[in-house]
Amino acid sequence: MNEALPFSTPDNGTFRIALYPGTFDPITNGHIDIIKRGLHLFDRIIITVAVNVQKTPLFSLEQRCAMIRECFQGQEDRIEVGATDGLIVEYALQHGARAIIRGLRAISDFDYEFQLALMNRRLEREVETVFLMTGFRWIYISSSGIKNAARCHGNITGLVPKHVERALQEKFA
Ligand code: COA
């Protein structure tokens, strides 16, 4: 599946590229907060829709990528959206990224993220994982929690961008 990314340039030491991988089913305001803050540290972020074999997404890969693209319209010089069903570290190297950004919400995330980071390091030592603390406003949200609320027609305004809110409402109409 490894989509070609027209904007990627190899990391020549002055241009810092990071990957922000996830399932993004769908992207939330918590993810967007991490991406915006990541842009203070990196020149370009490749938001990478990846496969977690334990999840069955509600939205197709194309829908998830399109929703992410809509969030960052006009910022294509710094934000790319890609997808892979392969190893994240391989995708990172192929696109000149030496860092993987992950957001940490609470202690409960730590165990899982620690294992993921160590496994990625075991697979490829050239790629570092960088953790950003999730913004306090978003500490309690997850894609699943938002989907569950939307499924029961709960109010999810302010937790996801408007177009994502509409997509969820259509799914559960
Ligand atoms: N705001 C809101 N929610 C957040 C968040 C934030 N800042 N940070 C994390 N989350 C939530 C997500 O919404 C998601 O919620 P959900 O479980 O309800 O869907 C959850 O935290 C974590 O999901 P995500 O960040 O999408 O990660 P993941 O565990 O689904 O997937 C991959 C992680 C895809 C990066 C990982 O499976 C992977 O690397 N796969 C590729 C294969 C590979 O390389 N494997 C080797 C490594 S072991």
Side-chain angles (χ1 to χ4, degrees):
M1 173 164 70
N2 279 355
E3 261 184 21
L5 292 167
F7 303 109
S8 291
T9 34
D11 188 354
N12 60 10
T14 56
F15 200 87
R16 294 188 181 274
I17 305 172
L19 226 66
Y20 181 44
T23 309
F24 300 112
D25 185 47
I27 188 165
T28 69
N29 285 345
H31 295 129
I32 292 172
D33 174 61
I34 294 283
I35 295 161
K36 284 185 177 160
R37 287 164 46 215
L39 285 175
H40 295 306
L41 303 174
F42 296 97
D43 298 303
R44 178 166 293 155
I45 294 180
I46 306 174
I47 306 168
T48 309
V49 181
V51 175
N52 178 339
V53 285
Q54 272 143 8
K55 290 184 179 172
T56 309
L58 175 68
F59 294 101
S60 71
L61 178 77
E62 292 72 23
Q63 287 171 322
R64 284 178 278 155
C65 288
M67 283 190 276
I68 298 171
R69 282 200 184 92
E70 198 168 335
C71 296
F72 298 99
Q73 265 173 6
Q75 296 177 65
E76 289 82 0
D77 56 331
R78 303 212 43 211
I79 300 275
E80 298 173 31
V81 182
T84 181
D85 55 6
L87 282 180
I88 279 299
V89 285
E90 274 179 13
Y91 191 81
L93 285 182
Q94 281 163 11
H95 294 88
R98 294 290 179 278
I100 293 173
I101 299 175
R102 295 288 290 169
L104 276 182
R105 286 168 304 173
I107 307 263
S108 51
D109 277 348
F110 182 78
D111 240 16
Y112 172 70
E113 293 297 336
F114 192 51
Q115 285 180 30
L116 196 62
L118 289 179
M119 179 56 87
N120 280 331
R121 191 163 158 73
R122 167 75 174 68
L123 293 169
E124 181 46 75
R125 295 188 76 81
E126 277 190 40
V127 179
E128 289 288 350
T129 301
V130 175
F131 292 108
L132 294 182
M133 296 305 295
T134 293
F136 193 65
R137 289 174 69 189
W138 316 113
I139 215 95
Y140 65 97
I141 68 168
S142 68
S143 300
S144 305
I146 290 170
K147 282 183 285 190
N148 286 341
R151 191 173 278 116
C152 304
H153 306 292
N155 182 0
I156 55 165
T157 300
L159 302 181
V160 288
K162 274 285 162 207
H163 64 280
V164 175
E165 187 178 340
R166 278 195 299 275
L168 282 165
Q169 284 163 349
E170 279 163 24
K171 277 272 180 204
F172 298 119

